[in-house]
Amino acid sequence: MNEMSILDPVLLIAIPLGLAFLIPLLGLVSKKIVRWIPVVGFLFNGIVALLILPHVLKQPIIVKIGGFVPPFGINLYAGSVGMLLASLIAITGFLVSIYAVKYITKGAEQKYHILFLLLLTGATGVVLTGDIFNLFVFFEILCISSYALVAYLGTRSGLEASIKYLIQGSIGSSFLLIGIGLLYGQFGTLNMADLARQIVDYTEPSVFVSMVFMITGLGIEAAIFPLNAWLPDAHSSAPSSVSAVLSGIAIEVGLYAVIRVLFTIFAVSNFFIFFMVLGVLTVLIGEMSAFAQKNIKRMLAYSSIGQIGLIVFAFSISTQLGVAGGLFQMVSHTLGKALLFLCAGYMIFRTGSMEISSLEGIGKKMPITALCFTIGTFSIVGLPPFTGFASKFMIIRAALANGELLLQILIGLVLVGTIIEGAYFFKIIQTIYFKGAHKTDNREEAPVTALIPMLILVSFIIVIGMFPNIIDKVLQPAASELLDQVKYIGSVLG
Amino acid sequence: MNILYDYIYYAGAFGLIFIGIFTMMVKRNYIKVIIGLSILETGVNLFLISVGYISNGTAPIFSNPGIEAKNMVDPVPQALVLTAIVIGLAVLSLALSMAIRLYKHFGTLDLQQIKEQRW
Amino acid sequence: MRKCIGIILLIIIAWGILTSLQTMPFGVSRAKVANHYINNGKDETGAANIVTSVVINYRAFDTLGEVTVLFLSAIGLGAVLATIKTREKRDTEKASLILSTGCRFLFPPIILFGAYIFIHGHLTPGGGFQGGAIIASAFLLMYLGCHGEKRLNDRCSTFSESLGGLAFVIIGLIGLAVGTHYFLNNFMPLGKFNTLLSAGVIPIIYIAIGFKVGAELSKIIDLLMEES
Amino acid sequence: MIVIVTFLIVAMLAAAVSAYFFRDLLNAVIASCMVSLIAAVMFILLHAPDVAMAEASIGAALVTTVFVIAIRRTTRYEK
């Protein structure tokens, strides 16, 4: 117990916030230190999160902020899901911030690093919190820093994308707030566990309306099918390091919030067919639009929509295996998509163009980056022995486990989506390696600070893909935590 | 009269919310859209506060010894709205700084025209 | 066309809300949590203003997030506007002597009033956010009245916003380190009820927030007005 | 009391609607400022003095200022 009081999960939020407030002060002293601050912060976060993770697998840690008992104060719920995602955020953040040290050279650098640090702090807060209004506040931190970062380069497309994102995102936040107000009006509490205990039947009209408001609000950030108009523009016109975390983390966190609200607060059980169909639609629309793109970052952004659809589909199977598969797919998408955006960032930087055709022959000029990119695409498409295969395989097993005809048809459609995905990714790989070998202009390899994160991500992808048992030990408790509402209430309210 | 009194604050709040959303959906001028957002936020705040109201209540402050605790209105929505107002200001000022940039780049604030002349 | 879709959507939303509102009549007491705050807030936090005790003590984590949002907005605004290279020049008339002297005369009392509001946050209505906004309005007055003479000192505003935020986090961490090991714990003695020096850490946090919010709002106005 | 409240709410909604219709953005901003100010009065009537102060100083004053600055640096009329 003594050791646990030092490793409090609240440090995962408090220390990065403190560092972010410290950056302007350090900026007065030296400009060079500033760019290493996010690296330090996420290194710290990663270590703390990985140290806490084994403890929470047995029993979740409830952090009482200010020492007030849960329904009266805010509490953090550091369970298996929360800590799994928090460690993922910290590790990805660490790697991407190493990448950004050399990559960000334009604009107000110091401000970029503050915004980046706070974006991931907001994400960590969302996955750890156990209070719906606190969820809203951290969501706003996440959203506002993303709005600013998308417009960071100040290009025309970036500005327009950011404005689109801002308008839709702020309508979403208002909807979330209306939903919170309705819930508070009916139940007089904001604590998730307390709400879950008092909500008996979610089909009652008044509860259902507030649920629809909350899901719509969160769904805009999670980019579920009818609400994802902002995503392709925003993800493709941000700086690549930002696209990596937006695609890899921000939408996953949004999806986590949707799942948490649906499973834990409302204990929804019967309209998952609706979400399943939405998920499959998202997969098909995302992959088909990606197939038609000529711009590499837009293609990756649309591919993210497809992956999100797959994750929604996996969660809405709502069995132990399905939820575990969804979480696994989240992990593999985060690693794979972050890797792809990081590689694409330097490829675009060296060629000076986002068109796929301009990448011809880059496999010879930038061999390591191209190799990493290839491994990333293999993982996203789902080829063995990479993580994407293991996670997709788990989802397919979950879908076929019941032997229901509908599930079989839907998983068939998802596989069609995967085939489309494979087609356009192989098209890129063909362009990279087998076309335009006659071009001889000299392009150098990406710098070391960019190669190290890419190689680490590649090693993660390969290791987890070969030995999925490592992560399975975390996934199983995480899935049962999401599905077991009674245990959640019990551990918070005692 | 009684029914009117029961619903008049809610009606006002949701009236603002609807006008705000409608402005944001229909108008094409970017600053008009942001004005819609600010009206929407005011409406949400008014709604939250009226959720916490208690008939014949007093403000939740023990300013002099004679005040009794049982008549106080709900302090929680007030704390939430305090947070929401500040967040609203933050979003609005960021949005308006983008409006300035937008005008520098495109020379117009009409979102439809901006979409057309992007590429 | 857009109007039609909008109206149909709004009618659906309105119908949903109407069904929902019937279960929550106006003006009826219902909340268990709120009753706890009202009945025990005085003893647990020592603040006479229950809203303050909720904002700074029971839900302090929200407030930390809120301060961060404002900080983010100022930073993001700077990042967005930093890419403008050319600065416009406008012909403006210099303010008359009476106007600028009047503004300068009013400046200290407004600052003082803002400080009063955030120092007395735990006793009277008001607090760090309101006081900070009033301080920012003093700087706004200087911008409008004394044209181009007084500019916000960059270094000074950076210091007060950073130190304000750091003070909040550090008080939280001290609460974690001493006593009962809770983040943002009210670890100081509560003092005599309804006096200025009471309620433990609440006045200190509100002062930090006041400085931070004042500096940030002034900075937002400064960045937006920047032209010469 | 009820008459005053009804009057305030009707005035507030009227201000919001006129903010929608004004072609001159400056007028629209002033109308939305009026919405905020009436909302602040209503917060007082609902016994929320803290929120009323915040709404009057932040929601009405500072937001309007920011809008006016932005309009001065862009354009005044909606086409």
Side-chain angles (χ1 to χ4, degrees):
Chain A
M1 194 59 215
N2 201 13
E3 146 201 37
M4 284 315 297
S5 63
I6 300 167
L7 288 178
D8 201 312
V10 79
L11 292 178
L12 294 177
I13 298 163
I15 298 293
L17 279 187
L19 285 176
F21 293 143
L22 195 65
I23 288 180
L25 275 188
L26 287 178
L28 294 178
V29 183
S30 152
K31 297 264 181 255
K32 286 231 170 101
I33 307 177
V34 167
R35 54 179 74 158
W36 291 99
I37 295 282
V39 180
V40 174
F42 290 122
L43 182 63
F44 172 84
N45 259 15
I47 293 171
V48 172
L50 288 179
L51 283 178
I52 296 175
L53 191 57
H55 291 268
V56 298
L57 292 184
K58 284 164 241 147
Q59 187 191 357
I61 303 176
I62 314 294
V63 182
K64 307 183 187 85
I65 307 273
F68 299 103
V69 215
F72 304 118
I74 292 174
N75 70 303
L76 298 187
Y77 185 91
S80 321
V81 189
M83 290 313 296
L84 170 69
L85 291 177
S87 353
L88 191 65
I89 290 168
I91 292 167
T92 319
F94 173 65
L95 296 175
V96 177
S97 54
I98 292 181
Y99 177 89
V101 167
K102 281 270 165 54
Y103 183 72
I104 295 297
T105 46
K106 278 182 275 183
E109 273 180 67
Q110 177 186 329
K111 298 194 166 80
Y112 168 86
H113 292 293
I114 297 176
L115 291 170
F116 184 80
L117 187 56
L118 286 176
L119 193 154
L120 292 182
T121 313
T124 315
V126 171
V127 298
L128 287 182
T129 186
D131 184 286
I132 46 173
F133 192 74
N134 205 232
L135 181 83
F136 168 77
V137 171
F138 280 113
F139 237 98
E140 284 295 300
I141 296 181
L142 178 70
C143 291
I144 292 177
S145 43
S146 334
Y147 305 151
L149 279 174
V150 170
Y152 177 76
L153 288 179
T155 54
R156 288 186 162 206
S157 57
L159 211 56
E160 201 219 334
S162 171
I163 280 167
K164 214 187 216 177
Y165 187 13
L166 191 144
I167 292 171
Q168 300 186 9
S170 46
I171 291 183
S173 318
S174 301
F175 270 41
L176 179 57
L177 199 52
I178 295 173
I180 290 173
L182 288 172
L183 276 185
Y184 183 79
Q186 290 164 52
F187 299 102
T189 178
L190 292 166
N191 189 287
M192 285 189 192
D194 205 15
L195 276 174
R197 190 175 57 179
Q198 293 186 38
I199 293 174
V200 191
D201 182 13
Y202 69 91
T203 47
E204 202 180 308
S206 54
V207 181
F208 189 75
V209 168
S210 30
M211 181 172 86
V212 170
F213 269 110
M214 285 185 76
I215 297 298
T216 317
L218 292 169
I220 287 180
E221 186 61 19
I224 300 172
F225 160 57
L227 308 170
N228 56 11
W230 57 271
L231 188 140
D233 288 340
H235 285 199
S236 59
S237 39
S240 289
S241 52
V242 176
S243 309
V245 287
L246 284 184
S247 251
I249 288 173
I251 48 179
E252 253 90 353
V253 165
L255 201 57
Y256 160 83
V258 172
I259 298 300
R260 178 59 97 189
V261 166
L262 278 180
F263 278 128
T264 303
I265 297 184
F266 294 101
V268 173
S269 51
N270 50 15
F271 60 92
F272 276 121
I273 297 290
F274 172 69
F275 275 95
M276 231 176 253
V277 174
L278 265 191
V280 173
L281 271 180
T282 318
V283 171
L284 291 177
I285 289 173
E287 305 294 11
M288 280 182 206
S289 324
F291 190 74
Q293 296 305 314
K294 297 223 159 46
N295 175 328
I296 182 164
K297 283 182 83 173
R298 279 182 87 80
M299 177 182 278
L300 292 179
Y302 275 113
S303 148
S304 291
I305 295 182
Q307 296 276 321
I308 280 293
L310 184 55
I311 301 173
V312 171
F313 174 77
F315 275 120
S316 41
I317 298 173
S318 77
T319 55
Q320 170 86 15
L321 197 58
V323 175
L327 286 169
F328 197 2
Q329 180 67 29
M330 268 192 188
V331 174
S332 71
H333 174 233
T334 301
L335 297 175
K337 202 42 78 57
L339 175 63
L340 285 182
F341 269 116
L342 295 188
C343 296
Y346 263 102
M347 284 162 126
I348 292 165
F349 190 69
R350 294 282 189 247
T351 56
S353 156
M354 289 199 201
E355 297 298 311
I356 291 175
S357 52
S358 69
L359 295 178
E360 286 178 5
I362 209 162
K364 304 260 171 16
K365 309 286 177 349
M366 301 171 72
I368 305 178
T369 314
L371 182 68
C372 294
F373 189 85
T374 313
I375 292 175
T377 53
F378 284 173
S379 171
I380 293 279
V381 174
L383 292 184
F386 305 109
T387 38
F389 171 72
S391 56
K392 278 193 180 167
F393 188 62
M394 199 184 239
I395 293 174
I396 293 171
R397 257 191 343 181
L400 296 181
N402 292 359
E404 276 180 50
L405 184 64
L406 180 70
L407 272 177
Q408 286 166 356
I409 296 171
L410 289 177
I411 194 77
L413 287 173
V414 169
L415 288 178
V416 170
T418 304
I419 291 167
I420 303 175
E421 194 172 34
Y424 62 77
F425 273 133
F426 287 124
K427 210 169 62 185
I428 300 188
I429 291 170
Q430 191 201 5
T431 317
I432 289 177
Y433 282 110
F434 304 115
K435 272 190 185 169
H438 56 278
K439 285 192 182 174
T440 48
D441 51 339
N442 241 343
R443 295 187 188 122
E444 359 160 8
E445 187 56 78
V448 183
T449 47
L451 287 179
I452 291 173
M454 291 180 205
L455 291 174
I456 295 177
L457 280 172
V458 165
S459 62
F460 274 135
I461 287 175
I462 293 177
V463 169
I464 297 178
M466 301 248 253
F467 309 102
N469 287 340
I470 308 173
I471 201 163
D472 206 44
K473 281 182 199 135
V474 188
L475 290 176
Q476 294 305 333
S480 44
E481 181 203 315
L482 274 178
L483 289 171
D484 194 350
Q485 190 205 17
V486 179
K487 199 176 156 217
Y488 183 92
I489 299 172
S491 54
V492 174
L493 297 176
Chain B
M1 211 54 171
N2 211 4
I3 290 175
L4 182 68
Y5 189 67
D6 276 351
Y7 284 101
I8 186 97
Y9 282 102
Y10 286 150
F14 281 105
L16 285 189
I17 290 174
F18 289 153
I19 295 170
I21 295 180
F22 192 67
T23 312
M24 287 183 83
M25 281 198 295
V26 172
K27 285 289 175 182
R28 301 196 314 200
N29 182 294
Y30 181 50
I31 288 198
K32 219 41 179 298
V33 171
I34 305 174
I35 289 175
L37 178 59
S38 101
I39 292 175
L40 169 62
E41 274 164 359
T42 312
V44 175
N45 294 344
L46 191 57
F47 166 63
L48 282 173
I49 290 287
S50 35
V51 162
Y53 182 72
I54 290 171
S55 309
N56 306 320
T58 58
I61 300 171
F62 291 95
S63 48
N64 58 30
I67 289 178
E68 282 182 48
K70 67 172 186 212
N71 278 335
M72 284 183 174
V73 301
D74 193 339
V76 182
Q78 302 193 11
L80 304 189
V81 170
L82 216 53
T83 309
I85 288 176
V86 176
I87 289 178
L89 171 67
V91 174
L92 287 180
S93 50
L94 189 63
L96 286 169
S97 76
M98 281 176 194
I100 296 174
R101 289 287 285 124
L102 201 65
Y103 192 70
K104 281 271 176 331
H105 263 295
F106 295 87
T108 175
L109 287 173
D110 190 326
L111 292 175
Q112 200 70 36
Q113 280 184 27
I114 287 167
K115 205 181 263 173
E116 281 157 15
Q117 59 160 280
R118 180 170 51 152
W119 302 117
Chain C
M1 180 58 198
R2 273 168 107 178
K3 283 187 190 177
C4 288
I5 297 175
I7 289 174
I8 293 168
L9 215 66
L10 287 184
I11 288 172
I12 298 172
I13 296 175
W15 176 79
I17 285 168
L18 263 182
T19 52
S20 185
L21 283 183
Q22 275 157 8
T23 54
M24 35 193 297
F26 181 72
V28 179
S29 160
R30 48 188 99 67
K32 173 186 97 183
V33 176
N35 278 338
H36 176 88
Y37 292 154
I38 288 172
N39 293 329
N40 309 344
K42 212 160 70 160
D43 308 322
E44 283 182 8
T45 66
N49 186 345
I50 300 294
V51 178
T52 300
S53 71
V54 174
V55 168
I56 299 295
N57 238 331
Y58 292 105
R59 303 192 68 83
F61 210 49
D62 281 351
T63 312
L64 184 56
E66 179 187 0
V67 170
T68 314
V69 168
L70 205 54
F71 177 68
L72 259 180
S73 157
I75 297 289
L77 203 136
V80 171
L81 290 178
T83 40
I84 296 184
K85 301 258 159 33
T86 51
R87 291 190 171 156
E88 67 218 83
K89 253 225 150 39
R90 274 174 195 264
D91 297 324
T92 37
E93 232 173 274
K94 204 169 179 307
S96 71
L97 185 66
I98 298 175
L99 184 60
S100 62
T101 315
C103 289
R104 259 179 229 149
F105 180 73
L106 272 177
F107 183 72
I110 297 179
I111 295 274
L112 199 63
F113 179 57
Y116 171 84
I117 295 230
F118 66 67
I119 289 174
H120 285 75
H122 56 299
L123 303 176
T124 55
F129 296 102
Q130 293 91 332
I134 289 170
I135 288 179
S137 72
F139 282 99
L140 178 64
L141 180 74
M142 292 302 272
Y143 273 110
L144 297 178
C146 316
H147 175 73
E149 293 171 31
K150 280 272 190 317
R151 301 228 8 174
L152 193 65
N153 187 335
D154 254 355
R155 190 169 283 254
C156 188
S157 73
T158 306
F159 260 103
S160 49
E161 71 177 357
S162 282
L163 288 180
L166 275 178
F168 200 160
V169 174
I170 287 171
I171 287 172
L173 289 177
I174 293 175
L176 188 65
V178 304
T180 45
H181 305 291
Y182 290 120
F183 187 67
L184 285 169
N185 193 14
N186 196 346
F187 59 89
M188 285 182 28
L190 295 185
K192 188 171 173 297
F193 183 69
N194 224 345
T195 53
L196 188 58
L197 291 177
S198 66
V201 294
I202 290 179
I204 302 174
I205 292 181
Y206 250 166
I207 289 170
I209 291 178
F211 270 97
K212 190 172 167 59
V213 172
E216 252 144 32
L217 293 179
S218 323
K219 200 172 179 180
I220 287 177
I221 292 171
D222 177 71
L223 283 170
L224 282 171
M225 284 187 99
E226 195 168 82
E227 55 189 320
S228 55
Chain D
M1 185 65 182
I2 183 78
V3 179
I4 301 173
V5 170
T6 315
F7 173 73
L8 281 177
I9 284 176
V10 170
M12 188 170 73
L13 291 178
V17 171
S18 53
Y20 173 83
F21 280 112
F22 277 133
R23 289 273 175 232
D24 185 345
L25 290 174
L26 214 51
N27 290 358
V29 167
I30 299 302
S32 82
C33 169
M34 193 172 145
V35 172
S36 283
L37 272 180
I38 298 176
V41 174
M42 292 186 35
F43 289 149
I44 291 279
L45 293 179
L46 290 167
H47 300 296
D50 288 83
V51 182
M53 273 176 85
E55 180 74 35
S57 62
I58 295 176
L62 281 176
V63 167
T64 310
T65 314
V66 173
F67 266 117
V68 170
I69 297 170
I71 288 173
R72 197 184 65 154
R73 291 186 70 176
T74 55
T75 174
R76 187 171 159 180
Y77 293 98
E78 175 192 12
K79 267 158 247 139

